Amino acid sequence: EKGGYEHFMLKEIFEQSKSITASMRGRVVADKHRLHLGGLTEYFNRLMSADRIMIVACGTSWHAGLVAEYLFEEFARVPVEVEYASEFRYRNPVIRENDVVIAISQSGETADTLAAIELAKSKGAIIFGVCNVVGASIPRATQAGAYIHAGPEIGVASTKAFTGQITVLTMMALMLAHRKGTISESKFREFLAELEKIPAKVEQALKLNDQIKYISDVFKDARNFLYLGRGYNFPVALEGALKLKEISYIHAEGYPAAEMKHGPIALIDEEMPVVFIATADSSYEKVVSNIQEVKARRGKVIAIVTEGDTQIKNIADHVIEIPKTPEALTPLISVIPLQLLSYHVAVMRGCNVDQPRNLAKSVTVE
Ligand code: F6R
């Protein structure tokens, strides 16, 4: 059942080129310049006329929601707020009839997310679900949505669901942008073609497994980790830190790289590994300066960079090269080495990666 892998988590990490393909199947047809998510059709007009989109989710799904914020704002030019379902539901939030809520949940059973949906519904908002488990409570409570079709996720730490969620949310944002005319036809076509190339690039990133295993061995005894990224890679930094915490029990924090100087920089010494997601994108030079600041304080730098990078190679302690993709699609690739890093560190520390202590696969109590 683990398909020859030692753990479900590793199997699910390695399944991601297949599961992302499944998320796009019948939806993206790049050579015909077509993108269609059938489950959105009935309420698509509400999405078109939404004054804002509110995303509610927990944990890893909330991180996927943060990526979606960048996507929907950049492409569809609609304001987005991303909320922890548990905070949203108890805050007496302002919800108007022209708001659209997107609820993201792998299990479709998370109690706080379900309650946030019911609250928003009672105020007249339309709810779209982005779920994995077919027929679960959340997809039944939402009026519209799209399944991610990642297949069963057994490992408690979410991996392929995260990339499936981002794939679906990317398709939603592009479909909306195309209909609204906020993306040019040529850019739209380019993104469909780039989306189709993602599974092969994920496959390529998975080949880094041995290198990452080596790096994991170097840092397995660290007591803390810092994860830093900007823009689309900021949520990836949060996700990398969460993965490590959950399964290896090492304290880790994710931060937007520019926030480092407002506090976390005080933590840096020769004992502190800092994982930078430093791909060749619009904030590259700024992230390079952050790496220099960490090195100046003798921190240990592990950098996820774009293939062919030369600048960071000279300053970082370890460099992990991932295939190039447009900035907006980077999270689908840059998260892969972070999943593998947390996996190997946890295994080397003797942790039960598929069933970490104190955690359940679906959180049906608040
Ligand atoms: C992280 C993890 C949790 C879940 C969270 C939401 O690896 O598994 O943080 O992401 O409990 O669960 P769903 O997506 O099922 O609503």
Side-chain angles (χ1 to χ4, degrees), residues 175-195:
M175 193 173 152
L176 180 60
H178 194 227
R179 288 268 204 101
K180 282 176 90 173
T182 49
I183 188 171
S184 70
E185 186 61 34
S186 62
K187 196 147 202 153
F188 176 73
R189 291 179 180 193
E190 179 196 320
F191 267 95
L192 296 189
E194 289 290 349
L195 264 176

Side-chain angles (χ1 to χ4, degrees), residues 58-61 105-108 110 156-158 165 242-243 246 363:
C58 306
T60 289
S61 299
S105 175
Q106 188 287 127
S107 63
T110 302
V156 163
S158 188
Q165 289 161 345
L242 179 62
K243 287 288 88 90
E246 282 182 295
V363 184

Side-chain angles (χ1 to χ4, degrees), residues 61-138:
S61 299
W62 184 80
H63 296 155
L66 284 182
V67 175
E69 175 176 24
Y70 288 79
L71 290 163
F72 277 94
E73 292 204 344
E74 176 173 358
F75 296 111
R77 306 304 298 151
V78 54
V80 177
E81 279 166 43
V82 190
E83 308 263 3
Y84 285 116
S86 56
E87 287 299 313
F88 177 84
R89 62 180 287 205
Y90 286 115
R91 193 186 65 222
N92 193 11
V94 179
I95 308 166
R96 303 183 207 94
E97 288 194 6
N98 259 358
D99 288 337
V100 161
V101 172
I102 300 177
I104 309 171
S105 175
Q106 188 287 127
S107 63
E109 298 295 348
T110 302
D112 280 319
T113 309
L114 195 53
I117 291 169
E118 297 302 345
L119 173 66
K121 244 209 260 180
S122 73
K123 313 265 184 197
I126 286 292
I127 327 289
F128 288 78
V130 174
C131 298
N132 191 34
V133 177
V134 175
S137 305
I138 291 174

